[in-house]
Each structure stands twice: as structure tokens, then as C-alpha cells.
Amino acid sequence: MSTANQSTVIQPDGATAEEFVLSSEERAEIEHEMSHYEDPRAAAIEALKIVQKHRGWVSDGAIYAIAAVLGITPVDLEGVATFYSLIYRRPVGRHVIKVCDSLTCMLMGYESVLDAIKRQLNIDYGQTTQDGRFTLLPTCCLGNCDKGPSIMVDGNTHSHLDAEKMVQLLEQYK
Amino acid sequence: MTVASADTHPLTWRLRADDSASDIKLYEANDGYAAVRQILNNTAPADIVKLIKAAGLRGRGGGGFPAGVKWELMPAFDPNAPKRYLLCNADEMEPSTYKDRLLMEQAPHQLIEGMILAAYAIQACNGYLFLRGEYVLAAERMQKALTAAKEAGYLGKNILGSGWDFELVLHTGAGRYICGEETALINSLEGRRANPRARPPFPQVAGLWGRPTIVNNVETLCNVPHILLRGADWYKQLSQGKSTDAGTKLFGVCGRANKPGLWELPMGTTAREILEQHAGGMQDGYELKAWLPGGVSTDFLLPEHLDTPMDFDSIGKLGSRMGTGIITVVDQKPGIITVLRNIEEFFARESCGWCTPCRDGLPWTVKTLQALEQGKGQPGDIEMLERTTKLLSPGYTFCALAPGAMEPLQSALKYFRAEFEQGIAKT
Ligand SMILES: Cc1cc2nc3c(=O)[nH]c(=O)nc-3n(C[C@H](O)[C@H](O)[C@H](O)COP(=O)(O)O)c2cc1C
Ligand code: SF4
Ligand code: FES
């Protein structure tokens, strides 16, 4: 039996940081994605997204475990994981707010929306609220420019925002 | 206003008032997959390529490269090395662009039909739809449509008894604008960092997994079924009198206009008509100061340029590019330096970091613009920005991201130099 889905992270001082085991569900989903490509590593980004869907973020241990399934080195996969903005290598809140700061949303006044979010949640970009409910990040254009300012919370895009609407909108996310 | 019909609005006539997607039954009832049924058993792939070339379909991803010519650049089909690929570029991340999203959310089968026909023309066995990760609704609707098309026998093995197989897979990304650059897209699809690749070889010759690969934009592919059903002459006359470029185009306006939006109009419709008649002009209290014809990687134009036909050549003659064809109207409220600072922050953040002029030049540009914005610019800053536009121009960087970032900067230096001068600190 291979231990491909199980791994222990060895820290520089030799201590072990974390036991990480892919669930059978995660493993099955990753293997299904691999079947879509001639080269299994093409499922790398999808595999990271699968683990993130289940656990909220991608830990060091997950990098080792996923790399083993894909048959690539952990450092190679780490290079991929850190390249893409939608892969989180640190824990995030239950909901991730992405504020579009590209040109059209700026012309439409996104800054007042951002200020309202920061005031309400008392966090800045890159931070998570103390109760673990929200993480705040900037994003480039969401392709919703004719209805801006726009933000995305988890998978939902919200349009025509202003500072007043923010309080109510964030209440929807528990 | 003209009523949308298949004859005049091929891309959008089937769209429904409630923004829902047509399911496969409704699509079929409206001539959907008719082109696939007509072509697959009756037309040689090479003849399709010829027809697309004759129709003058130019790439809608921003560059305007003729689709038929690109397809012809593939090596001849080799039965001993039969694997070839069709990739649909649905990464749409250029700020101020939202046209492919509409096509995927509301007409998913049209894109699938376009991909089937394009793949047949280039004899591709596999296709991937590379969709940006943030387009969640588009992903849902495309996946549903893909499943339905497969069940109906339009995808998979021996399609409609033609003996030809085509598998089409939805691949969703995980962010980063650079994934839209076609060779970076291929690296990303292979599960790597999205750094662009050196050319030559071009993807047509050595692309995905080193095999012949065509990358086309969503809107480009959506035009294909209509051209095959109605012919090259019909396609060319769609823009008659307005442009030498063929077909219709999804044009839009965003920014402080009264009715920002997206409309299918003849290629060559003037920017003024799009802004004044379709977008209802500028909002009260907001004056048009400048406009970008199609995304933040195009050069600014002025109000005096509004009567120009929106097509690749006419906008090109003004020293800009039509790009994606969605106009951003820039009003007088934020200074041009602030607008530019926002644009260059985007490019600096999205640079893949592969080559030095782009990785270092863009953050440097942002810093200089920030200083100018605060009235803290130094003597020589303007000249330095001018030099940067040369150092990051085509040929000096690995891909077109950095040259694209320089287009708004160089045109702002040309048209709004006084605002740069005002940003230099008085000693
Ligand atoms: C930085 C960068 C980003 C790009 N993003 C996109 C994109 O999101 N969608 C797209 O279709 N083309 C994009 N392109 C252009 C593609 O490289 C390619 O030319 C295009 O997909 C070809 O399709 P077409 O010939 O049908 O227009 C981008 C180019 C660059 C340099
Ligand atoms: S120009 Fe910029 S985005 Fe393009 S390859 Fe170089 S560093 Fe990467
Ligand atoms: S600029 Fe914000 S959605 Fe496009």
C-alpha cells in the first residue's frame, strides 16, 4: 500500500509539524479530475481547489499529500499554489470578501464601499475578523463593470454597491 | 431600434429577457446545432477553414488576428500524430471587459457549437474551455450545457455518425490575469505557473503538451456556427457601409454613463453612437474627458475621436487599439494621474514576474505615479516615465502584458502632459 495520500511535514529542525491525510472523498475528486488530462499534473490547480473547498485553505501538509497523488515534487506544487490568487496558503475566514479595485469600479466609487467594509469589520486587506467570519482581499476586475462597484463574497457577485448597502449585505453571511 | 433577429444579431438574438440560459431543447428549436448537423457529414475540414477566412472573422480576444489564417498555420493533419487541441480562452480578466461572460451565462450551447465546428475544422480531438475561476455562474451553466450536449450526441465518440470524436472539458482557473495570454494559458492548463512561453514555436505548431493547438476567444468561436449556416457574404454585409471589418461585435460602455451595458452592433458602429444612443450619454455632472476603446491595455482617446468607427483598423489609425471593444468613459473628476495609477497598479500586481523590465518597471511606474499624484514628483520623473514606455515596449519583454500596460501611459503623456507637470514638487 502506498502512503501517497498521507504525509508528515518535516520542519528544518527535524520536528514534525502536522499529520495530513487526504480524505477518501478528496482523493476521489482529485483522481476524477486527473482523468480529464493526458498528464496527471494538469489537475494540479483543480486538486488544490478541491482541498481548499473541503478545508478552507491549503496547508503545508496538503501540499505534500497532493503532490504525491499528482506525482510531482512538493516544491513544484508549492510554486503553483503560490502563483494563483484564488489558492489560499493561509487560513481564511468562513467568508472571503473580494473587493474589485480595477478602473471602472474606481470610477464608480469603490473606495467608499471598501472604507465601509473596513469600518464595519475593523480589518484591512489580508486580515481576518477575530470571530473568523470574514477575510478581506482585493481583486482585479470581476467582469461586472457595467454594474459596479462590485464585490464578490464567496461565489456570489454583488452589484451596484454603496456604503449604505454594505451593512445589510454582510449580514447575509453568518 | 431594430428587433433582434438571427439575420442581424447572430450572437444575441436567442438571448432571453430574464437573463436565463436556453436549455438544449430551446436552443435546438431555434436552429441550434443546425450548423453541426449540416457540416459534419457534408463538408471537408479544409473547406470550413476557407469559409471562415473568406468571411473575414477576426479574433475577438483583443488582437484581431484573422481566425481562418490562424487555423491555416497549423501543420497538415498527420494520422500518425493525430492529437491536436482547441482551447477556448474564457479567462476574461482585462479590466472593463464583460462580454464573454454574457455569452457563456446566457448562450452556453452557442459556444459549444462553435467549439465543435472549430475543432472539426482543425481536426482537434480534444478541447478545453479555460474559464476564469471567478465566473461561478458561467461555470455552472457551461457544465450543464456540456452534459446535455454530450447526452444528445454532439460531443464524445463518433459525433452524429461522422466517425469523428471530440471531447470537450471545462477547466476553471484560480485567478491571475496573465492566464489569458495564450501561452501562459497553456502552461496553466498543464498545471504549471502561468508564465508565458517563448515564441517560436507558436502554439499552432507546439502548444498544449507540445502538440498543435489553437487558442481562440469565446466571442470569436461563437461567430463560427452563424458563418457556416449563412455564408461569408452574409457575414461581410453585417457591417456594410460602416467598416471593412466583417460581422457584428459585442460593444459596451462602462463608467459614468447613464446606461452602461453591452450591445451587439455592426462592426464599425461609431463610438459616439454607442455612447450617446445606446449608453444614453454621460451622467449629469460628469463630462467625458477621455475614453479607452477596449480595456486598460489600450491607448486613451479624446472626445474629438468619438466619430471614429469602432473596428480594428480605424481605431488602430488613431494610435490606439480596439481591444475588447468595451469603451471605458473616463470623466473629469479623478485626475488622469489617479486613473493611470489605478491602471498601473493592476498591471504591476498581475505581472507574472518572469522578465525584469515588467517585474521591476511596473512597480517603479506605480511609485512615480503615486508621487506625482501627491504633488511630490521629482524633476526628471516625466522623462523617466517616457523612457519606461520605450523600455517596456514590444520586443523588450516576454509577452504583451508590459507593452499593454504602457499604452494608457504613453497616450496620457501625449494628451495630458500638463497634469504630469502639475505633479512635480515645487521647490
Ligand atoms: C496579458 C494578456 C491577457 C490576455 N487575456 C485574454 C483573455 O482573457 N481572453 C482572450 O480571449 N484573450 C486574451 N489575450 C489574448 C490571447 O493571448 C490570444 O491572443 C487570444 O485568446 C486569441 O484569440 P482570438 O484570436 O480569437 O482573439 C490576452 C493577452 C495578453 C497579453
Ligand atoms: S511581460 Fe510581464 S507578464 Fe509578460 S512574461 Fe514578462 S513579466 Fe510576465
Ligand atoms: S472594474 Fe470592477 S468589475 Fe470590472
Side-chain angles (χ1 to χ4, degrees), chain B residues 219-232:
Chain B
E219 188 184 353
T220 312
L221 291 164
C222 286
N223 275 287
V224 171
H226 306 287
I227 295 172
L228 295 188
L229 267 189
R230 289 162 189 273

Side-chain angles (χ1 to χ4, degrees), chain B residues 94-149:
Chain B
E94 170 101 1
S96 304
T97 310
Y98 43 90
K99 64 185 183 66
D100 299 339
R101 174 190 194 126
L102 175 97
L103 291 170
M104 292 183 286
E105 286 182 356
Q106 299 189 33
H109 283 288
Q110 173 170 264
L111 175 57
I112 294 171
E113 183 169 18
M115 285 193 76
I116 295 169
L117 294 162
Y120 180 72
I122 63 168
Q123 291 166 287
C125 53
N126 290 79
Y128 292 95
L129 172 59
F130 189 106
L131 178 61
R132 70 177 286 192
E134 293 89 344
Y135 277 6
V136 178
L137 182 63
E140 247 170 55
R141 291 185 174 179
M142 286 304 319
Q143 189 54 58
K144 196 168 157 211
L146 282 168
T147 307

Side-chain angles (χ1 to χ4, degrees), chain A residues 33 36-39 41-46 49 72 76 78-80 82-87 98-99 101-104 106-111 138-147 152 154-157, chain B residues 83 85 93-98 101 128 132-136 169 171-176 178-179 188-194 209 211 254-256 260-261 292 296 328-329 334 339 342-343 346 349-350 352:
Chain A
E33 284 302 325
H36 289 148
Y37 307 92
E38 285 150 60
D39 179 1
R41 78 159 298 151
I45 293 160
E46 207 55 55
K49 283 166 75 172
I72 60 178
D76 189 350
E78 172 70 345
V80 174
T82 51
F83 188 90
Y84 294 97
S85 53
L86 299 184
I87 302 298
K98 298 190 202 85
V99 179
D101 62 4
S102 289
L103 179 62
T104 306
M106 188 199 86
L107 295 169
M108 301 306 287
Y110 91 85
E111 275 135 337
T139 177
C140 68
C141 179
L142 291 167
N144 198 46
C145 326
D146 54 342
K147 303 183 192 73
M152 196 162 181
D154 305 335
N156 308 315
T157 301
Chain B
K83 293 231 159 187
Y85 303 97
M93 235 184 273
E94 170 101 1
S96 304
T97 310
Y98 43 90
R101 174 190 194 126
Y128 292 95
R132 70 177 286 192
E134 293 89 344
Y135 277 6
V136 178
V169 168
H171 175 102
T172 59
R176 298 307 295 273
I178 191 61
C179 294
S188 188
L189 192 57
E190 289 184 2
R192 303 172 198 279
R193 291 169 76 91
W209 297 307
R211 301 200 184 102
C254 59
R256 292 284 181 181
L292 293 164
V296 297
T328 315
V329 287
V339 168
N342 174 281
I343 293 174
F346 161 78
R349 191 166 78 198
E350 296 302 327
C352 83

